[in-house]
Amino acid sequence: MKRQLNFFAALATVMGTMIGGGAFFKIANISTLTRNPWLSILVWPLAGFITLMAGLSIAELAAIFPEEGGPVKYLEKIYGPQVAFLFGWSLIIIYYPANIGALAIVFATQLKAIPGFSHLSITATALIVILIILAINWLGSKLSGQVQKIALIIKLIPILAIIVLAVISNQNHLVSAPRPQISSASGAVAFGQALLAVLFAYDGWLSIGNLASEIKNPAKTLAKAIIWGLFGVTVIYTLLNWSFIKILPWKLIVGNQATALLTSQQLFGNFGSIIISFGILVSIFGAINGHLLLGSRMPYVLGKENKLPGAKFFGTLNQKTAVPTNSMLFECLVATIMIFSGTFDSLTDMLVYVSWIFSILLFIGVMLLRIKKPNLQRPYKTPWYPLPPILAISGASFIVISTTLTQPILALIGILLTLSGWPVYLYVQHQNK
């Protein structure tokens, strides 16, 4: 593949993939869990801090191994091919298609809420959006990269407009908000569930490593894009959700998927809120595009290395556009199945749960490499080591353990789908021999 993506394209992919439906719609789920406006704000910078610690750690691996395959390659170098394959398998059949499907549902739901579009079918609209994004990516990574840049700029406009108007507005429902209470066991569990829900909104940055073979000077560019992207998104998310809770009465926020729309109506009036709503749609569209751009590279890499059944199918590039169109088709097909089988929140919770299990292994891997290979060339080193990986491990472990205890069925389904890759791995190994 050609190295045609610069730092801004990488940064736009990190931020553009992260800033999507979660920024505007997770507040409904979070407010239901925390039952407190202050906790519903606090959970955003806390999740951002955990993610930033993860980013500071993973950026070191991205600089050491700047090759296509991203986190799967990092695991292979540290733990061997079996663990790496299971992670790659979970990304292919859970992570990327669940992201694409969940965000397509959110896009359709948001469009249906705009006057004049209420007659649309959510399922049909979600499928059409996936087809449009498939067509864009089919035409090449340069075009899909440009879409990411444009979408990032456009999606920041409604977000910044909401934040600025909220700052200068005289309305402030936080003044009378009750103090948070998480001292009880049930309160701590609910806060942990809210943290899991928020982490979906921060998800997507790890996969930037999949584009290593298409990024100019990846050893330095990847680390910079990850760190600055995570920091920027944390600030944006915290201020955006503070804006929602400042402007609207708390009773209108709890469990309400239209919180962003209602806030826009309060700040900009009916016509202005429609403009903001279309900006939100662009935000979600860009996130779906980013997940397909990144996600389609994973089956391609494993297919090219003869690690999947039908390896020739997955490991082939389009002769005209030099992109893995077969892998794109497969990811969109799985996403379509997920649209018919799950809701937005259940899909996102499952993908976050599985991805953080493997993320813990990556954080530990940073420390293992420091011990086993201290002289390894590191273009970027994690600052304040070993504090970031330790904090990342602690935060991720809390998320995984609390989810296992509070949502055992969801956790079991995620683990079983991941482990279903083991017989596939053994079969491919047998065929290769």
Side-chain angles (χ1 to χ4, degrees), residues 58-78:
I58 299 299
E60 181 170 314
L61 297 179
I64 296 171
F65 309 117
E67 51 191 281
E68 58 186 5
V72 171
K73 281 296 178 185
Y74 313 155
L75 286 172
E76 184 177 338
K77 301 285 186 181
I78 301 168

Side-chain angles (χ1 to χ4, degrees), residues 146-397:
Q146 291 294 333
V147 169
Q148 281 303 101
K149 293 179 187 178
I150 296 168
L152 177 62
I153 294 169
I154 294 175
K155 74 172 62 178
L156 289 177
I157 293 173
I159 291 173
L160 294 177
I162 290 171
I163 292 171
V164 171
L165 265 290
V167 168
I168 64 177
S169 173
N170 292 325
Q171 286 181 290
N172 189 355
H173 291 280
L174 275 166
V175 172
S176 57
R179 291 183 179 181
Q181 297 289 334
I182 56 172
S183 55
S184 66
S186 59
V189 168
F191 190 76
Q193 289 178 295
L195 189 61
L196 175 72
V198 168
L199 282 167
F200 165 72
Y202 282 96
D203 211 45
W205 62 271
L206 183 58
S207 299
I208 186 63
N210 293 1
L211 297 178
S213 64
E214 300 168 72
I215 292 175
K216 298 173 183 177
N217 192 12
K220 293 184 178 179
T221 302
L222 283 173
K224 285 169 57 181
I226 289 171
I227 294 166
W228 284 109
L230 289 176
F231 178 76
V233 169
T234 299
V235 173
I236 289 168
Y237 279 170
T238 303
L239 291 176
L240 179 63
N241 284 271
W242 169 83
S243 301
F244 294 153
I245 296 171
K246 178 178 184 285
I247 297 302
L248 291 181
W250 178 244
K251 64 182 181 181
L252 293 181
I253 295 175
V254 178
N256 190 354
Q257 292 278 6
T259 294
L261 183 62
L262 289 176
T263 305
S264 300
Q265 288 174 345
Q266 285 284 330
L267 294 172
F268 307 102
N270 288 332
F271 179 75
S273 69
I274 292 173
I275 301 299
I276 295 298
S277 294
F278 278 106
I280 294 171
L281 288 175
V282 173
S283 171
I284 301 166
F285 188 90
I288 302 171
N289 180 71
H291 282 295
L292 183 58
L293 172 65
L294 297 170
S296 59
R297 271 57 181 176
M298 184 51 57
Y300 164 71
V301 170
L302 293 181
K304 190 177 70 169
E305 295 176 354
N306 218 27
K307 294 178 180 177
L308 283 176
K312 189 176 180 181
F313 174 83
F314 290 109
T316 301
L317 293 176
N318 187 293
Q319 292 183 349
K320 292 183 179 180
T321 58
V323 293
T325 47
N326 290 343
S327 295
M328 289 178 191
L329 282 170
F330 179 79
E331 291 300 297
C332 288
L333 176 62
V334 180
T336 299
I337 295 170
M338 287 189 165
I339 285 174
F340 287 100
S341 63
T343 64
F344 171 64
D345 286 320
S346 63
L347 287 176
T348 55
D349 285 352
M350 184 170 66
L351 70 89
V352 169
Y353 174 76
V354 173
S355 67
W356 277 97
I357 292 174
F358 286 99
S359 293
I360 292 172
L361 294 178
L362 288 169
F363 307 145
I364 295 172
V366 174
M367 304 174 78
L368 287 176
L369 285 179
R370 286 284 188 112
I371 296 168
K372 294 181 177 180
K373 299 182 179 181
N375 298 322
L376 195 64
Q377 186 177 357
R378 291 173 170 84
Y380 161 88
K381 281 189 173 184
T382 301
W384 312 300
Y385 179 86
L387 193 59
I390 290 174
L391 290 173
I393 292 167
S394 302
S397 298

Side-chain angles (χ1 to χ4, degrees), residues 18-29:
M18 291 170 69
I19 301 175
F24 303 101
F25 297 99
K26 274 298 180 181
I27 184 66
N29 188 22

